[in-house]
């Protein structure tokens, strides 16, 4: 069993975000619970990030470790942070967000409330996000405390919106983000794989994170779902839904029809871009193949719309003189 130096490792992947990183630093300075370290994984920044962090290392009340890597991708930076983490629990916060002042204190308290016999199956403690004005982002949970898998929370209880919490470092090391897949990879792929392995999450209706939605952050990757820019990552998520999650179909069939549409839509984008789909991801179940086939016309229609919009945007783009 690993010997942890801290209860929490706060991980922040960052790239050229020196102008917002101080927001994270201030929120960590204000934490009422101080048994944590801050691991900053710099994904090849060319701004003043290194100098800024070196100054904080001299004055912070908590240890700060700076890990630099050549520019690769957020998923690689996250994996790197997990490898360097010396905390039992990992809290991943973006370089432009902040923690509620009592976030770590409440997370530690929730962990203490979980019965010892249940802790081996508990992989995460997940709460809510709020905007700077205090409004909760997305849905609240049906009950104030729930011990279910992340797949149940998504499909059975229909909870939507940005959520936030901590995850066990030892389990995350067993489920790294796939670095062999280029570009954007949805985080949901990792959380779903962990859920299918039998792990539960304790969900609580408590705000842990103050959410700032700013352009240019690493977490904003993949939000352009109306184009083929992130076709591979979006196809992977659709494939995961129709191939491995059909056990939840009865709770939310419309979500599965939508995933089948996206499967075809982004598959066609990949074909047009001459990008090969990752090996070993065939639809082996007849139910999955039938679902995708029934939604093929809708997926093809959305793909055609994407191409038309892209062509129209190119025509309207001003010509440089």
């Amino acid at each position: 069993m690993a010997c942890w130096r801290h209860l929490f490792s706060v991980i922040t992947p960052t790239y050229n975000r020196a102008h917002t990183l101080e927001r994270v630093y201030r929120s960590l300075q204000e934490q009422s619970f101080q048994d944590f370290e801050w691991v900053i994984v710099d994904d090849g920044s060319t701004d003043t990030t290194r100098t800024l962090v070196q100054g904080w290392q001299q004055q912070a009340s908590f240890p700060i470790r700076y890990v630099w890597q050549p520019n690769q991708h957020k998923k690689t930076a996250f994996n790197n942070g997990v490898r360097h983490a010396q905390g039992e629990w990992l809290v991943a916060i973006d370089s432009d967000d902040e923690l509620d002042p009592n976030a770590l204190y409440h997370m530690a308290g929730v962990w203490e409330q979980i019965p010892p016999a249940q802790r081996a199956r508990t992989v995460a403690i997940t709460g809510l996000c709020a905007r700077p004005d205090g409004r909760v982002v997305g849905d609240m949970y049906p009950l104030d405390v729930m011990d279910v898998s992340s797949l149940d929370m998504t499909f059975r209880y229909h909870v939507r919106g940005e959520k936030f919490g901590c995850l066990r470092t030892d389990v995350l090391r067993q489920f790294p983000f796939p670095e062999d897949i280029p570009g954007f990879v949805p985080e949901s792929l990792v959380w779903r794989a962990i859920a299918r392995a039998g792990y539960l999450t304790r969900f609580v209706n408590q705000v842990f994170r103050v959410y700032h939605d700013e352009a240019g952050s690493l977490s904003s990757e993949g939000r352009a779902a109306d184009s083929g820019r992130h076709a591979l990552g979006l196809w992977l998520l659709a494939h995961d839904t129709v191939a491995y999650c059909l056990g939840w179909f009865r709770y939310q069939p419309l979500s599965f029809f939508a995933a089948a549409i996206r499967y075809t839509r982004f598959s066609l984008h990949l074909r047009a871009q001459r990008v090969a789909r990752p090996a070993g991801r065939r639809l082996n179940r007849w139910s999955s193949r039938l679902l995708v086939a029934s939604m093929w016309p809708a997926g093809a229609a959305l793909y055609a719309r994407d191409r038309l919009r892209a062509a129209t945007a190119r025509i309207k783009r001003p010509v440089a003189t």
Side-chain angles (χ1 to χ4, degrees):
M1 182 175 292
C3 182
W4 306 106
R5 294 189 180 183
H6 307 279
L7 185 58
F8 296 104
S9 288
V10 179
I11 304 294
T12 301
T14 187
Y15 174 69
N16 284 345
R17 304 293 286 174
H19 60 292
T20 63
L21 198 56
E22 187 173 359
R23 185 184 294 152
V24 185
Y25 174 66
R26 288 198 310 267
S27 78
L28 294 178
Q29 285 281 71
E30 295 171 358
Q31 286 301 301
S32 57
F33 185 92
Q34 288 283 308
D35 184 10
F36 71 91
E37 62 170 353
W38 189 21
V39 181
I40 301 168
V41 184
D42 188 342
D43 191 31
S45 294
T46 57
D47 62 3
T48 60
T49 294
R50 183 190 295 268
T51 302
L52 194 64
V53 173
Q54 288 174 340
W56 293 336
Q57 286 174 322
Q58 302 303 313
Q59 57 183 289
S61 58
F62 50 87
I64 301 176
R65 289 193 290 138
Y66 176 78
V67 179
W68 188 91
Q69 66 178 40
N71 182 248
Q72 298 175 65
H73 203 277
K74 181 186 177 182
K75 62 178 181 289
T76 305
F78 181 84
N79 286 345
N80 204 1
V82 173
R83 285 192 291 269
H84 282 83
Q86 297 178 355
E88 183 177 359
W89 289 84
L90 190 139
V91 178
I93 186 166
D94 288 341
S95 54
D96 55 359
D97 289 330
E98 58 187 307
L99 291 177
D100 178 87
N102 294 310
L104 298 182
Y105 173 82
H106 288 310
M107 289 179 193
V110 172
W111 175 239
E112 289 299 320
Q113 294 168 9
I114 297 175
Q118 186 180 320
R119 292 181 181 180
R121 292 189 63 201
T122 302
V123 69
I125 297 165
T126 303
L128 307 172
C129 297
R131 300 192 184 281
D133 62 5
R135 289 180 297 129
V136 171
V137 178
D139 302 328
M140 296 182 69
Y141 304 118
L143 301 174
D144 286 339
V145 178
M146 299 182 69
D147 293 314
V148 298
S149 75
S150 59
L151 284 165
D152 276 330
M153 189 57 71
T154 297
F155 294 118
R156 185 173 184 176
Y157 297 104
H158 306 187
V159 173
R160 294 288 183 266
E162 195 82 13
K163 301 295 181 278
F164 185 81
C166 59
L167 297 102
R168 277 173 44 193
T169 305
D170 60 338
V171 176
L172 281 174
R173 287 176 177 169
Q174 300 173 42
F175 293 87
F177 279 89
E179 297 184 21
D180 58 326
I181 296 175
F184 163 71
V185 174
E187 295 178 358
S188 300
L189 292 178
V190 173
W191 314 150
R192 289 179 177 188
I194 292 173
R196 285 193 290 266
Y199 288 102
L200 302 178
T201 294
R202 170 152 290 195
F203 294 95
V204 294
N205 277 324
Q206 197 156 12
V207 172
F208 291 149
R209 170 191 176 204
V210 180
Y211 176 69
H212 297 262
D213 191 3
E214 297 189 17
S217 68
L218 285 177
S219 67
S220 65
E221 298 172 359
R223 294 180 185 171
D226 59 343
S227 72
R229 179 184 174 191
H230 299 298
L232 179 55
L234 294 167
W235 178 84
L236 285 168
L237 185 58
H239 171 272
D240 186 270
T241 303
V242 300
Y244 305 129
C245 299
L246 286 184
W248 287 265
F249 179 91
R250 66 187 184 278
Y251 298 117
Q252 203 172 147
L254 291 180
S255 293
F256 287 86
F257 290 130
I261 291 171
R262 291 192 298 271
Y263 181 97
T264 295
R265 176 187 181 186
F266 295 111
S267 179
L268 293 172
H269 274 293
L270 293 176
R271 182 185 300 177
Q273 297 166 11
R274 298 183 179 179
V275 175
R277 293 183 295 189
R281 284 181 168 82
R282 294 182 177 275
L283 296 178
N284 295 321
R285 299 173 61 182
W286 68 266
S287 52
S288 300
R289 295 195 297 268
L290 179 60
L291 179 62
V292 169
S294 66
M295 293 293 105
W296 189 93
L302 285 181
Y303 166 73
R305 187 197 65 178
D306 292 341
R307 295 299 297 267
L308 179 61
R309 286 180 173 177
T312 302
R314 286 194 297 270
I315 293 173
K316 293 181 177 180
R317 191 175 301 150
V319 179
T321 59

